[in-house]
Amino acid sequence: MLAFVSGASRGIGAACAEELAGNGFDIVINYRSSDAEASEVAAKVEALGRKAYLKRFDISDAAAAEKACAEVLSKCGPVDVLVNNAGISISGLVQDMSSDQWDALLSVNLKGMFDLCKGFVPSMVSRKKGCIINISSMWGQTGASFESVYSASKGGVDAFTKALAKELGPSGIRVNAVSPGCILTDMCACYSEQDLKALAEETALGRNGTPQDIANAVVFLASDKASFITGQILGVNGGMVI
Ligand code: NAP
């Protein structure tokens, strides 16, 4: 079994890669520039007895994504599980956000996901087998002040997930999203200790999440135990959004 994880050099993607490897998957590790971190993830995957393939490319570059997907299919074999995890966040008042920032954010968080689906869906459809898991955000459901563009991108991820689940269900392909709350990764480095404490206090469980919390949900959705689950947005947010 082969899983492709975008943005797997760090944070949530790295945890997903390692947890999927622990559950029997060989892993294609996509990332944009962090060679050393990606190699560390590959070493952990191999230590678990699985194959690791490093695939460095920018998912916002449609031509690069198309080429990379074709190479993965020919060199590594068919992808059973696609985890669209790579994402960026840019915060600011809406009037301070530029069109370039809008384009940058949407081209990674939304178009990058679309291009990877385009690259792998045809082979999934012809095999009548496959599973897609998109990493969204609770802000896609609720909206976040100072993060209107990021929230829009993740609202798009949720709608795309539901639509694609309807389109691909008849081909036996499940499409779901995991919608994290505040997860302690580099993406949260902009928050102060005080901000993080306040965010933790907003959850029912009184803590922020770890990448492992998200990886556990991803592995569940990728497994046969989730065989009747499609088109769902699974909140993993400690009860911040209920
Ligand atoms: P992170 O620690 O910043 O890691 C981002 C990963 O994405 C890195 O592996 C990075 O590669 C990769 N990446 C970024 N842009 C890319 C591109 N254009 N092409 C290929 N790879 C790219 O982020 P994270 O916190 O793990 O977030 C992962 C996902 O969870 C994102 O979709 C994010 O929106 C979502 N999320 C996170 C949180 C949170 O609180 N952390 C909450 C809700 C949702 P390099 O290392 O090479 O740069």
Coordinates of all heavy atoms in Angstrom, one line a residue, residues 25-114:
F25 N 2.0 1.4 5.4 CA 2.1 2.1 4.1 C 3.5 2.5 3.8 O 4.3 2.9 4.6 CB 1.3 3.4 4.1 CG -0.2 3.2 4.1 CD1 -1.0 3.0 5.3 CD2 -0.9 3.2 2.9 CE1 -2.3 2.8 5.2 CE2 -2.3 3.1 2.8 CZ -3.0 2.9 4.0
D26 N 3.9 2.3 2.5 CA 5.1 3.0 2.0 C 4.6 4.4 1.7 O 3.4 4.7 1.5 CB 5.5 2.4 0.6 CG 6.0 0.9 0.8 OD1 6.5 0.6 1.9 OD2 5.8 0.1 -0.1
I27 N 5.6 5.4 1.8 CA 5.2 6.8 1.8 C 6.0 7.6 0.8 O 7.2 7.5 0.7 CB 5.5 7.5 3.2 CG1 5.0 6.6 4.4 CG2 4.9 8.9 3.2 CD1 3.5 6.6 4.5
V28 N 5.2 8.4 0.0 CA 5.8 9.4 -0.8 C 5.8 10.7 0.0 O 4.7 11.2 0.4 CB 5.1 9.7 -2.2 CG1 5.9 10.7 -3.0 CG2 5.0 8.4 -2.9
I29 N 7.0 11.3 0.3 CA 7.1 12.4 1.2 C 7.3 13.7 0.3 O 8.3 13.9 -0.3 CB 8.3 12.3 2.1 CG1 8.1 11.1 3.1 CG2 8.6 13.6 2.9 CD1 9.4 10.6 3.7
N30 N 6.2 14.4 0.1 CA 6.3 15.7 -0.6 C 6.7 16.8 0.3 O 6.3 16.8 1.5 CB 5.0 16.0 -1.4 CG 4.9 17.5 -1.7 OD1 4.2 18.2 -1.1 ND2 5.7 17.9 -2.7
Y31 N 7.4 17.8 -0.2 CA 7.8 19.0 0.6 C 8.2 20.0 -0.4 O 8.4 19.8 -1.6 CB 8.8 18.7 1.7 CG 10.1 18.2 1.1 CD1 11.2 19.1 1.0 CD2 10.3 17.0 0.5 CE1 12.4 18.7 0.5 CE2 11.5 16.6 0.0 CZ 12.5 17.4 0.0 OH 13.7 17.0 -0.6
R32 N 8.4 21.3 0.1 CA 8.8 22.4 -0.8 C 10.3 22.7 -0.8 O 10.9 22.8 -1.8 CB 8.0 23.6 -0.4 CG 8.2 24.8 -1.3 CD 7.4 26.0 -0.8 NE 7.5 26.1 0.6 CZ 6.7 26.9 1.4 NH1 5.9 27.7 0.8 NH2 6.9 27.0 2.7
S33 N 10.9 22.7 0.5 CA 12.3 23.1 0.5 C 13.1 22.5 1.7 O 14.3 22.5 1.6 CB 12.4 24.6 0.6 OG 11.7 25.1 1.7
S34 N 12.5 21.9 2.7 CA 13.2 21.4 3.9 C 13.8 20.0 3.6 O 13.3 19.0 4.1 CB 12.2 21.4 5.1 OG 11.7 22.6 5.3
D35 N 14.9 20.0 2.9 CA 15.5 18.7 2.5 C 15.9 17.9 3.8 O 15.7 16.7 3.8 CB 16.8 18.9 1.7 CG 16.5 19.5 0.3 OD1 15.5 19.0 -0.3 OD2 17.2 20.4 -0.1
A36 N 16.6 18.6 4.7 CA 17.1 17.8 5.9 C 15.9 17.2 6.7 O 16.0 16.0 7.1 CB 17.9 18.7 6.8
E37 N 14.9 18.0 6.9 CA 13.7 17.5 7.7 C 13.1 16.4 7.0 O 12.7 15.4 7.6 CB 12.7 18.6 8.0 CG 13.2 19.7 9.0 CD 14.0 20.8 8.4 OE1 14.5 20.6 7.2 OE2 14.1 21.9 9.0
A38 N 12.9 16.5 5.6 CA 12.3 15.5 4.9 C 13.1 14.2 4.9 O 12.5 13.1 5.0 CB 12.1 15.9 3.4
S39 N 14.4 14.3 4.9 CA 15.2 13.1 5.0 C 15.1 12.4 6.3 O 15.1 11.2 6.4 CB 16.7 13.4 4.7 OG 16.9 13.9 3.4
E40 N 14.9 13.2 7.4 CA 14.7 12.6 8.7 C 13.4 11.8 8.8 O 13.3 10.8 9.3 CB 14.6 13.7 9.8 CG 16.0 14.2 10.3 CD 15.9 15.4 11.2 OE1 14.9 15.4 12.0 OE2 16.7 16.3 11.2
V41 N 12.4 12.4 8.1 CA 11.1 11.7 8.1 C 11.2 10.4 7.3 O 10.8 9.3 7.7 CB 10.0 12.6 7.5 CG1 8.7 11.8 7.3 CG2 9.7 13.8 8.3
A42 N 12.0 10.4 6.2 CA 12.2 9.2 5.4 C 12.9 8.2 6.2 O 12.6 7.0 6.1 CB 13.0 9.6 4.1
A43 N 13.9 8.6 7.0 CA 14.7 7.6 7.8 C 13.7 7.0 8.8 O 13.8 5.8 9.1 CB 15.8 8.4 8.5
K44 N 12.8 7.8 9.4 CA 11.9 7.2 10.4 C 10.9 6.2 9.7 O 10.6 5.1 10.3 CB 11.1 8.3 11.1 CG 11.9 9.1 12.1 CD 11.1 10.2 12.7 CE 12.0 11.0 13.6 NZ 11.3 12.3 14.0
V45 N 10.5 6.5 8.5 CA 9.6 5.6 7.7 C 10.4 4.3 7.4 O 9.8 3.2 7.6 CB 9.1 6.3 6.4 CG1 8.5 5.3 5.4 CG2 8.2 7.4 6.7
E46 N 11.6 4.4 7.0 CA 12.4 3.2 6.7 C 12.7 2.4 8.0 O 12.7 1.2 7.9 CB 13.7 3.6 6.0 CG 13.4 4.0 4.5 CD 14.5 4.7 3.8 OE1 15.6 5.0 4.5 OE2 14.4 5.0 2.6
A47 N 12.9 3.1 9.1 CA 13.1 2.4 10.3 C 11.9 1.5 10.7 O 12.0 0.6 11.5 CB 13.5 3.4 11.5
L48 N 10.7 1.9 10.2 CA 9.5 1.1 10.5 C 9.3 0.0 9.4 O 8.3 -0.7 9.4 CB 8.3 2.1 10.4 CG 8.2 3.0 11.6 CD1 7.2 4.2 11.3 CD2 7.7 2.3 12.9
G49 N 10.3 -0.1 8.6 CA 10.3 -1.2 7.6 C 9.6 -0.9 6.3 O 9.3 -1.8 5.5
R50 N 9.3 0.4 6.1 CA 8.5 0.7 4.9 C 9.4 1.5 3.9 O 10.5 2.0 4.3 CB 7.3 1.6 5.2 CG 6.4 1.1 6.3 CD 5.9 -0.3 6.1 NE 5.6 -0.7 4.7 CZ 5.2 -1.9 4.4 NH1 5.1 -2.9 5.3 NH2 4.9 -2.2 3.1
K51 N 9.0 1.6 2.7 CA 9.8 2.4 1.7 C 9.4 3.9 1.8 O 8.2 4.2 2.0 CB 9.5 1.9 0.3 CG 10.1 0.6 -0.1 CD 9.8 0.3 -1.5 CE 10.2 -1.1 -1.8 NZ 9.4 -1.8 -2.8
A52 N 10.4 4.7 1.6 CA 10.1 6.2 1.6 C 10.7 6.8 0.3 O 11.8 6.5 -0.1 CB 10.8 6.8 2.8
Y53 N 9.9 7.6 -0.3 CA 10.3 8.3 -1.6 C 10.2 9.8 -1.3 O 9.1 10.3 -1.0 CB 9.3 7.9 -2.7 CG 9.2 6.4 -3.0 CD1 8.1 5.7 -2.4 CD2 10.0 5.7 -3.8 CE1 7.9 4.4 -2.6 CE2 9.9 4.3 -4.1 CZ 8.8 3.7 -3.5 OH 8.6 2.3 -3.7
L54 N 11.3 10.5 -1.5 CA 11.3 11.9 -1.3 C 10.8 12.6 -2.6 O 11.4 12.2 -3.7 CB 12.7 12.4 -0.9 CG 13.1 12.0 0.5 CD1 14.6 12.4 0.7 CD2 12.3 12.6 1.5
K55 N 9.9 13.5 -2.6 CA 9.4 14.2 -3.8 C 9.3 15.7 -3.5 O 8.3 16.1 -3.0 CB 8.1 13.6 -4.2 CG 7.7 13.7 -5.6 CD 8.5 12.7 -6.5 CE 8.5 13.1 -7.9 NZ 9.6 12.6 -8.7
R56 N 10.4 16.4 -3.8 CA 10.4 17.8 -3.6 C 9.8 18.6 -4.7 O 10.4 18.5 -5.8 CB 11.9 18.2 -3.3 CG 12.0 19.7 -3.2 CD 13.5 20.1 -2.9 NE 13.6 21.6 -3.1 CZ 14.6 22.3 -2.6 NH1 15.5 21.7 -1.9 NH2 14.6 23.6 -2.8
F57 N 8.7 19.2 -4.5 CA 8.2 20.2 -5.5 C 7.2 21.1 -4.8 O 6.6 20.7 -3.8 CB 7.6 19.5 -6.7 CG 6.3 18.6 -6.4 CD1 5.1 19.2 -6.6 CD2 6.4 17.3 -6.0 CE1 3.9 18.5 -6.3 CE2 5.3 16.6 -5.7 CZ 4.0 17.1 -5.9
D58 N 6.9 22.2 -5.5 CA 6.0 23.2 -4.9 C 4.6 22.8 -5.5 O 4.4 22.9 -6.7 CB 6.4 24.6 -5.4 CG 5.6 25.7 -4.9 OD1 4.4 25.4 -4.5 OD2 6.0 26.8 -4.9
I59 N 3.7 22.5 -4.6 CA 2.4 22.0 -5.1 C 1.6 23.2 -5.7 O 0.5 22.9 -6.4 CB 1.5 21.4 -4.0 CG1 1.2 22.3 -2.8 CG2 2.2 20.1 -3.4 CD1 0.0 21.9 -2.0
S60 N 2.0 24.4 -5.6 CA 1.3 25.5 -6.2 C 1.7 25.7 -7.7 O 1.1 26.4 -8.4 CB 1.5 26.8 -5.5 OG 2.8 27.3 -5.6
D61 N 2.7 24.9 -8.1 CA 3.1 24.9 -9.5 C 2.4 23.7 -10.2 O 2.8 22.6 -10.1 CB 4.7 24.8 -9.5 CG 5.3 24.7 -10.9 OD1 4.5 24.4 -11.8 OD2 6.5 25.0 -11.0
A62 N 1.4 24.1 -11.0 CA 0.6 23.0 -11.6 C 1.4 22.1 -12.5 O 1.2 20.9 -12.5 CB -0.6 23.7 -12.4
A63 N 2.3 22.7 -13.3 CA 3.1 21.8 -14.2 C 4.0 20.9 -13.4 O 4.1 19.7 -13.7 CB 3.9 22.7 -15.1
A64 N 4.6 21.4 -12.3 CA 5.4 20.5 -11.4 C 4.6 19.4 -10.8 O 5.1 18.3 -10.7 CB 6.1 21.4 -10.4
A65 N 3.4 19.8 -10.3 CA 2.5 18.8 -9.7 C 2.2 17.7 -10.7 O 2.2 16.5 -10.4 CB 1.3 19.4 -9.1
E66 N 1.8 18.1 -11.9 CA 1.4 17.1 -12.9 C 2.6 16.1 -13.2 O 2.4 14.9 -13.3 CB 1.0 17.8 -14.2 CG 0.4 16.9 -15.3 CD 0.0 17.6 -16.5 OE1 0.1 18.9 -16.6 OE2 -0.3 16.9 -17.5
K67 N 3.8 16.7 -13.4 CA 4.9 15.9 -13.7 C 5.2 14.9 -12.5 O 5.5 13.7 -12.7 CB 6.1 16.8 -13.9 CG 7.4 16.2 -14.3 CD 8.4 17.2 -14.9 CE 9.8 16.7 -15.0 NZ 10.6 16.8 -13.9
A68 N 5.2 15.5 -11.3 CA 5.5 14.7 -10.1 C 4.5 13.5 -9.9 O 4.9 12.4 -9.6 CB 5.5 15.5 -8.9
C69 N 3.2 13.8 -10.2 CA 2.2 12.7 -10.0 C 2.5 11.6 -11.0 O 2.4 10.4 -10.7 CB 0.8 13.3 -10.2 SG 0.3 14.4 -8.9
A70 N 2.8 12.0 -12.3 CA 3.1 11.0 -13.3 C 4.3 10.1 -12.9 O 4.3 8.9 -13.0 CB 3.3 11.6 -14.6
E71 N 5.3 10.8 -12.4 CA 6.6 10.1 -12.0 C 6.3 9.1 -10.8 O 6.8 8.0 -10.8 CB 7.6 11.1 -11.5 CG 8.3 11.8 -12.7 CD 9.2 12.9 -12.3 OE1 9.4 13.2 -11.1 OE2 9.8 13.6 -13.2
V72 N 5.5 9.6 -9.9 CA 5.2 8.7 -8.7 C 4.4 7.5 -9.2 O 4.8 6.3 -8.8 CB 4.3 9.5 -7.7 CG1 3.6 8.5 -6.7 CG2 5.1 10.5 -7.0
L73 N 3.5 7.7 -10.1 CA 2.7 6.5 -10.6 C 3.6 5.5 -11.3 O 3.4 4.3 -11.2 CB 1.5 7.0 -11.5 CG 0.4 7.8 -10.7 CD1 -0.6 8.4 -11.7 CD2 -0.3 6.8 -9.7
S74 N 4.5 6.1 -12.1 CA 5.4 5.1 -12.9 C 6.5 4.5 -12.1 O 6.8 3.3 -12.3 CB 5.9 5.8 -14.2 OG 6.9 6.7 -13.8
K75 N 7.0 5.3 -11.1 CA 8.2 4.7 -10.3 C 7.8 4.0 -9.0 O 8.5 3.1 -8.6 CB 9.2 5.8 -10.0 CG 9.9 6.4 -11.3 CD 11.0 7.4 -10.9 CE 11.5 8.0 -12.2 NZ 12.0 9.3 -12.1
C76 N 6.7 4.5 -8.4 CA 6.4 3.9 -7.1 C 5.1 3.0 -7.1 O 4.9 2.3 -6.2 CB 6.1 5.1 -6.0 SG 7.3 6.4 -6.1
G77 N 4.3 3.2 -8.2 CA 3.1 2.4 -8.3 C 1.9 3.3 -7.9 O 2.0 4.5 -7.6
P78 N 0.7 2.6 -8.0 CA -0.5 3.4 -7.7 C -0.6 3.9 -6.3 O -0.2 3.2 -5.3 CB -1.7 2.4 -8.0 CG -1.0 1.1 -8.0 CD 0.4 1.2 -8.3
V79 N -1.2 5.1 -6.1 CA -1.4 5.7 -4.8 C -2.7 5.2 -4.2 O -3.7 5.4 -4.8 CB -1.3 7.2 -4.9 CG1 -1.7 7.9 -3.6 CG2 0.1 7.6 -5.3
D80 N -2.7 4.6 -3.0 CA -3.9 4.1 -2.4 C -4.5 5.2 -1.5 O -5.7 5.3 -1.4 CB -3.6 2.9 -1.5 CG -3.0 1.7 -2.3 OD1 -3.8 1.1 -3.0 OD2 -1.8 1.5 -2.2
V81 N -3.7 6.0 -0.9 CA -4.1 7.1 0.0 C -3.4 8.4 -0.4 O -2.2 8.4 -0.4 CB -3.9 6.7 1.5 CG1 -4.3 7.9 2.4 CG2 -4.7 5.5 1.9
L82 N -4.2 9.4 -0.7 CA -3.6 10.8 -0.9 C -4.0 11.6 0.3 O -5.2 11.8 0.6 CB -4.2 11.3 -2.2 CG -4.0 12.8 -2.4 CD1 -2.5 13.1 -2.6 CD2 -4.7 13.3 -3.7
V83 N -3.0 12.2 1.0 CA -3.2 13.1 2.1 C -2.8 14.5 1.6 O -1.6 14.8 1.4 CB -2.5 12.7 3.4 CG1 -2.8 13.7 4.5 CG2 -2.8 11.3 3.8
N84 N -3.8 15.3 1.4 CA -3.5 16.7 1.0 C -3.3 17.6 2.2 O -4.3 18.1 2.8 CB -4.7 17.2 0.1 CG -4.6 16.7 -1.3 OD1 -3.6 16.9 -2.0 ND2 -5.7 16.1 -1.7
N85 N -2.1 17.6 2.7 CA -1.8 18.3 3.9 C -1.1 19.6 3.8 O -1.3 20.6 4.6 CB -1.0 17.4 4.8 CG -0.3 18.1 5.9 OD1 -0.9 18.4 6.9 ND2 1.0 18.4 5.8
A86 N -0.2 19.8 2.8 CA 0.6 21.0 2.6 C -0.3 22.2 2.7 O -1.3 22.3 2.0 CB 1.4 21.0 1.4
G87 N 0.1 23.2 3.5 CA -0.7 24.4 3.5 C 0.2 25.5 4.1 O 1.2 25.3 4.8
I88 N -0.2 26.8 3.9 CA 0.4 27.9 4.5 C -0.6 28.8 5.1 O -1.8 28.7 4.8 CB 1.3 28.7 3.4 CG1 0.4 29.2 2.2 CG2 2.4 27.9 2.9 CD1 1.0 30.2 1.3
S89 N -0.2 29.7 6.0 CA -1.1 30.6 6.6 C -0.5 32.0 6.5 O 0.7 32.2 6.7 CB -1.4 30.2 8.0 OG -1.0 31.1 8.9
I90 N -1.3 33.0 6.1 CA -0.9 34.4 6.2 C -2.0 35.1 6.9 O -3.2 35.0 6.5 CB -0.8 35.0 4.7 CG1 0.1 34.1 3.8 CG2 -0.3 36.4 4.8 CD1 0.2 34.5 2.4
S91 N -1.6 35.9 8.0 CA -2.6 36.6 8.8 C -2.6 38.1 8.5 O -1.5 38.6 8.2 CB -2.4 36.4 10.3 OG -2.2 35.0 10.5
G92 N -3.7 38.7 8.7 CA -3.7 40.2 8.6 C -5.1 40.7 8.4 O -6.0 39.9 8.0
L93 N -5.3 42.0 8.7 CA -6.6 42.6 8.4 C -6.8 42.5 6.9 O -5.9 42.6 6.1 CB -6.5 44.1 8.8 CG -6.4 44.4 10.3 CD1 -6.1 45.9 10.5 CD2 -7.7 44.0 11.0
V94 N -8.1 42.4 6.5 CA -8.4 42.1 5.1 C -7.9 43.3 4.2 O -7.4 43.0 3.1 CB -9.9 41.9 4.9 CG1 -10.8 43.1 5.1 CG2 -10.2 41.2 3.5
Q95 N -8.0 44.5 4.7 CA -7.5 45.6 3.9 C -6.0 45.7 3.8 O -5.5 46.4 2.9 CB -8.0 47.0 4.5 CG -7.6 47.3 5.9 CD -8.5 46.9 6.9 OE1 -9.1 45.8 6.8 NE2 -8.6 47.6 8.0
D96 N -5.3 44.9 4.6 CA -3.8 44.9 4.5 C -3.3 43.7 3.7 O -2.1 43.6 3.4 CB -3.2 44.8 5.9 CG -3.4 46.0 6.7 OD1 -3.7 47.1 6.1 OD2 -3.4 45.9 8.0
M97 N -4.2 42.8 3.3 CA -3.8 41.7 2.5 C -3.8 42.1 1.0 O -4.7 42.7 0.5 CB -4.8 40.5 2.7 CG -4.9 40.0 4.1 SD -3.5 39.0 4.6 CE -3.7 37.5 3.5
S98 N -2.7 41.7 0.3 CA -2.6 42.0 -1.1 C -3.2 40.9 -2.0 O -3.4 39.8 -1.5 CB -1.1 42.2 -1.5 OG -0.5 40.9 -1.3
S99 N -3.5 41.3 -3.2 CA -3.9 40.2 -4.2 C -2.9 39.1 -4.3 O -3.3 38.0 -4.5 CB -4.2 40.9 -5.5 OG -5.3 41.7 -5.4
D100 N -1.6 39.5 -4.3 CA -0.6 38.5 -4.4 C -0.6 37.5 -3.2 O -0.4 36.3 -3.4 CB 0.8 39.2 -4.4 CG 1.1 39.8 -5.8 OD1 0.3 39.6 -6.7 OD2 2.1 40.6 -5.9
Q101 N -0.9 38.1 -2.0 CA -1.0 37.2 -0.9 C -2.3 36.2 -1.0 O -2.2 35.1 -0.7 CB -1.1 38.0 0.4 CG 0.2 38.6 0.8 CD 0.1 39.5 2.0 OE1 -0.8 40.3 2.1 NE2 1.0 39.3 3.0
W102 N -3.4 36.8 -1.5 CA -4.6 36.0 -1.8 C -4.2 34.8 -2.7 O -4.4 33.7 -2.5 CB -5.7 36.8 -2.4 CG -6.8 36.0 -2.9 CD1 -6.9 35.5 -4.2 CD2 -8.1 35.7 -2.3 NE1 -8.1 34.8 -4.3 CE2 -8.8 34.9 -3.2 CE3 -8.6 36.0 -1.0 CZ2 -10.1 34.4 -2.9 CZ3 -9.9 35.5 -0.7 CH2 -10.6 34.7 -1.6
D103 N -3.5 35.2 -3.8 CA -3.1 34.2 -4.8 C -2.2 33.2 -4.2 O -2.3 32.0 -4.5 CB -2.4 34.9 -6.0 CG -3.4 35.7 -6.9 OD1 -4.6 35.5 -6.8 OD2 -2.9 36.5 -7.7
A104 N -1.2 33.6 -3.4 CA -0.2 32.7 -2.9 C -0.9 31.7 -2.0 O -0.7 30.5 -2.0 CB 0.8 33.5 -2.1
L105 N -1.8 32.2 -1.1 CA -2.5 31.3 -0.2 C -3.4 30.3 -0.8 O -3.4 29.1 -0.6 CB -3.2 32.2 0.8 CG -3.2 31.7 2.3 CD1 -3.2 32.8 3.3 CD2 -4.3 30.8 2.5
L106 N -4.2 30.9 -1.8 CA -5.2 30.0 -2.5 C -4.5 29.0 -3.4 O -5.0 27.9 -3.6 CB -6.2 30.8 -3.3 CG -7.5 31.3 -2.5 CD1 -8.5 30.2 -2.4 CD2 -7.2 32.0 -1.2
S107 N -3.3 29.4 -3.9 CA -2.7 28.5 -4.9 C -2.0 27.3 -4.2 O -1.9 26.2 -4.8 CB -1.7 29.2 -5.8 OG -0.6 29.6 -5.0
V108 N -1.7 27.5 -2.9 CA -1.2 26.3 -2.1 C -2.3 25.5 -1.5 O -2.5 24.3 -1.8 CB -0.2 26.7 -1.0 CG1 0.3 25.5 -0.2 CG2 1.0 27.5 -1.6
N109 N -3.1 26.2 -0.7 CA -4.1 25.5 0.1 C -5.3 24.9 -0.7 O -5.8 23.9 -0.3 CB -4.7 26.5 1.2 CG -3.7 26.9 2.2 OD1 -2.5 26.6 2.1 ND2 -4.1 27.6 3.2
L110 N -5.6 25.5 -1.8 CA -6.8 25.1 -2.6 C -6.4 24.5 -3.9 O -6.7 23.4 -4.2 CB -7.7 26.3 -2.7 CG -9.2 26.0 -2.9 CD1 -9.8 25.0 -1.9 CD2 -10.0 27.3 -2.8
K111 N -5.7 25.3 -4.7 CA -5.3 24.8 -6.1 C -4.3 23.6 -6.0 O -4.4 22.7 -6.8 CB -4.7 25.9 -6.9 CG -4.6 25.5 -8.4 CD -4.1 26.7 -9.2 CE -2.7 27.1 -9.0 NZ -1.7 26.0 -9.4
G112 N -3.4 23.7 -5.0 CA -2.4 22.6 -4.9 C -3.1 21.3 -4.6 O -2.8 20.2 -5.2
M113 N -4.2 21.3 -3.7 CA -5.0 20.1 -3.4 C -5.7 19.6 -4.7 O -5.7 18.4 -5.0 CB -6.0 20.5 -2.4 CG -7.0 19.4 -2.1 SD -8.4 20.1 -1.0 CE -9.1 21.3 -2.1
F114 N -6.2 20.6 -5.4 CA -7.0 20.2 -6.7 C -6.0 19.6 -7.7 O -6.3 18.5 -8.3 CB -7.5 21.5 -7.3 CG -7.9 21.5 -8.7 CD1 -9.0 20.8 -9.2 CD2 -7.2 22.3 -9.6 CE1 -9.3 20.8 -10.5 CE2 -7.5 22.3 -11.0 CZ -8.6 21.5 -11.4

